[in-house]
Amino acid sequence: MESLPLAEQPRSLEIGAGNGSVARIIAEELNGRVQAIDLDVDHLASSPGVEAFQHDIRDGVPTGPFDLIHARFVLVHLPARREIFARLVNELAPGGWLVIADMSIAGLLLSAPEATDHDLWHRYYHAASHIVGPAAGHDYAWAEQVESEMYSAGLIDISAEHLTPLARGGGPWARYHTNLSLQAHEAFLGAGLSRADLERFRTMLADPTFRARFFTVTYTVGRKPGR
């Protein structure tokens, strides 16, 4: 976002703001005025340049126009993603930028503590990407489609970059996926994994010898014509 030619003091919308880290960057480093929204605002507070409030993006997009709209790991999870995407484009100011970051499947186990962990990895990953995620409305092909969606919406200066994070045993990405497995514990049981499987999976993710690439993050940006 720092490389984008934004308006002076850009009016920005941060969707799925989490703890507000990106919103604060926009406010502090880009001199922006940010509306930061999320379903859960327990860890999201207003700060200089940032107005934080609870909002479900499925209920509508806050009224613009915005010079910058950023959504990370949001649309991939929402069945109405294309309708929401169209509303985001509508709320861009002329010359405004839309930045979408979403995930697609990588599923590459590089090293594991035990030889039998490879079979568990593939069974868990199949359940996550083909059963549990899709049943919840997730679309892991979406991230690769955002670029064409931006072209179809009439945006210009479109570009995309891909990042495939490495998850190390006990590290932040491994803990993230441990938490996901806990949140969806019952769903994984329904997808055919056992309690012992899930316990072993979490033990594997805590082991310092574990290395894997769970997913690819695609950042796609596009600009609305007019300025």
Side-chain angles (χ1 to χ4, degrees):
M1 288 188 290
E2 290 179 343
S3 66
L4 300 179
L6 292 166
E8 187 175 349
Q9 293 187 317
R11 185 184 180 197
S12 305
L13 176 64
E14 168 72 1
I15 304 167
N19 66 6
S21 58
V22 175
R24 289 191 294 274
I25 289 173
I26 295 172
E28 296 169 5
E29 300 186 16
L30 304 181
N31 197 28
R33 296 165 293 150
V34 188
Q35 291 187 46
I37 64 173
D38 207 318
L39 282 173
D40 183 352
V41 295
D42 288 346
H43 303 286
L44 178 62
S46 295
S47 59
V50 178
E51 178 189 6
F53 58 98
Q54 186 176 27
H55 180 70
D56 188 339
I57 195 64
R58 294 171 293 186
D59 294 335
V61 175
T63 302
F66 295 102
D67 301 300
L68 172 66
I69 298 176
H70 175 258
R72 180 175 60 182
F73 296 178
V74 175
L75 297 184
V76 64
H77 301 300
L78 305 179
R81 60 189 61 83
R82 284 179 171 79
E83 292 85 348
I84 296 170
F85 175 88
R87 294 176 195 147
L88 297 179
V89 172
N90 287 339
E91 295 302 332
L92 284 173
W97 290 89
L98 180 60
V99 181
I100 302 291
D102 263 323
M103 63 181 72
S104 53
I105 298 301
L108 179 61
L109 178 62
L110 302 175
S111 65
E114 305 289 343
T116 54
D117 289 333
H118 288 261
D119 175 67
L120 172 60
W121 163 269
H122 289 296
R123 290 192 291 113
Y124 178 91
Y125 213 84
H126 175 81
S129 59
H130 290 85
I131 302 173
V132 177
H138 305 175
D139 182 356
Y140 300 115
W142 161 254
E144 299 292 347
Q145 297 167 1
V146 175
E147 185 179 16
S148 62
E149 293 287 336
M150 287 189 176
Y151 276 110
S152 297
L155 300 187
I156 60 175
D157 299 335
I158 299 166
S159 63
E161 295 183 0
H162 305 276
L163 173 68
T164 307
L166 175 65
R168 297 178 175 87
W173 283 118
R175 293 197 301 272
Y176 170 78
H177 284 279
T178 296
N179 288 338
L180 290 181
S181 77
L182 290 167
Q183 291 172 357
H185 182 85
E186 294 301 322
F188 279 111
L189 293 177
L193 294 173
S194 69
R195 296 184 186 277
D197 288 334
L198 293 171
E199 289 174 5
R200 177 58 201 168
F201 178 77
R202 292 163 194 148
T203 299
M204 176 174 63
L205 265 61
D207 192 291
T209 65
F210 172 81
R211 296 288 187 278
R213 299 193 185 277
F214 280 91
F215 57 83
T216 295
V217 184
T218 301
Y219 287 85
T220 310
V221 303
R223 182 170 67 86
K224 192 170 188 175
R227 182 173 59 84

